[in-house]
Amino acid sequence: MTASNQRDREKQIAAEAAADLVEDGMTVGLGTGSTVSFLLPSLARRHRAIRCVATSPRTADLARQLNIDVEPFTTIDRLDLAIDGTDQITPDGWLIKGGGAAHTREKLVAITADRFVVIADSTKPVELLRGPVPVELLAFGLGSTLRRLNDITLREVPSSPDGGVIGDYHGPLVNPRETASLLSNTPGLIEHGLFPPEMVTMALIGRGDRVEVMTYSSE
Ligand code: 5RP
């Protein structure tokens, strides 16, 4: 098996384990990315009576093609469960997300859920987070925000579905809580991709043929 096939297999088994957590009657947040693209068919096969919100137009389209009911995230004010991938996860549960530029919606959906479950292959766990940290910036005042933060590069990608400009913060990341606080307190910065452990309930990591279960704050 090639390394890429092995990674896909790990994503698949992590996604299956997460789909097993979904029960009839639940409201479910669907993340974004290649790992989530394994989750959606797993979920569809179970034919659960669920209501979902999606963190990106891509996920919403894929889910609807599989007859998964996706609603706008406007009036729903709590979710039973959110399931999403990650770019990195540390042993104590810090995440860097936003490789796919969906971190603003992903964080809002994760914080709305009673349980936030991360699914990943075995390349995602890291001892220490490595930058850069994805960011979404307001177009209004962009020059000012870039000058104040100083360490941001902009990605050559379309704006987010909410009109935000996507970039990456290359500044210090020795203490993720301090970096998260700096970014959160910067006017003009809409959201960043650092997710603290208290947001994460559980991680399901595919390793070879088995799924490693890590539990964090609220489980
Ligand atoms: C998108 C994300 C993704 O969850 C993250 O990039 C992981 O993606 P993949 O499952 O493709 O490795 O944060 O903004």
Side-chain angles (χ1 to χ4, degrees):
M1 198 186 284
T2 65
S4 155
N5 287 346
Q6 177 64 27
R7 276 185 76 181
D8 282 353
R9 166 88 188 129
E10 291 178 344
K11 290 177 189 186
Q12 172 75 51
I13 59 175
E16 292 284 346
D20 281 342
L21 301 173
V22 178
E23 296 170 8
D24 282 337
M26 280 187 169
T27 45
V28 181
L30 304 172
T32 292
S34 61
T35 316
V36 167
S37 68
F38 285 95
L39 172 71
L40 301 176
S42 307
L43 213 47
R45 277 195 296 276
R46 286 163 173 77
H47 299 289
R48 297 283 185 228
I50 52 176
R51 297 168 62 201
C52 297
V53 298
T55 53
S56 62
R58 183 171 152 239
T59 294
D61 288 348
L62 282 173
R64 288 192 179 114
Q65 283 165 25
L66 294 162
N67 292 320
I68 296 172
D69 177 31
V70 178
E71 299 181 21
F73 190 32
T74 45
T75 51
I76 291 177
D77 63 2
R78 62 163 290 279
L79 297 166
D80 293 298
L81 185 64
I83 305 169
D84 203 349
T86 190
D87 298 307
Q88 299 174 39
I89 180 166
T90 64
D92 56 353
W94 274 94
L95 311 180
I96 287 188
K97 287 185 49 55
H103 49 282
T104 299
R105 289 186 174 201
E106 290 173 334
K107 195 178 278 186
L108 192 48
V109 164
I111 200 80
T112 306
D114 291 347
R115 289 188 297 159
F116 175 43
V117 174
V118 174
I119 51 177
D121 62 74
S122 62
T123 65
K124 302 302 181 63
V126 293
E127 276 310 307
L128 294 172
L129 294 178
R130 288 182 305 267
V133 178
V135 291
E136 181 169 345
L137 308 159
L138 204 59
F140 180 85
L142 183 61
S144 158
T145 309
L146 294 177
R147 187 173 57 79
R148 279 176 285 116
L149 269 176
N150 192 24
D151 281 315
I152 290 188
T153 52
L154 298 182
R155 290 191 208 170
E156 290 186 8
V157 296
S159 300
S160 80
D162 305 298
V165 176
I166 302 300
D168 293 286
Y169 174 71
H170 297 263
L173 186 52
V174 181
N175 181 333
R177 203 167 290 279
E178 276 177 14
T179 303
S181 170
L182 168 77
L183 296 174
S184 295
N185 288 319
T186 298
L189 193 143
I190 299 167
E191 195 51 87
H192 57 82
L194 282 167
F195 286 45
E198 52 279 15
M199 284 184 64
V200 183
T201 309
M202 181 192 292
L204 300 169
I205 314 283
R207 271 192 202 282
D209 286 330
R210 63 185 191 85
V211 177
E212 191 176 294
V213 181
M214 319 280 286
T215 51
Y216 302 102
S217 57
S218 46
E219 185 78 345

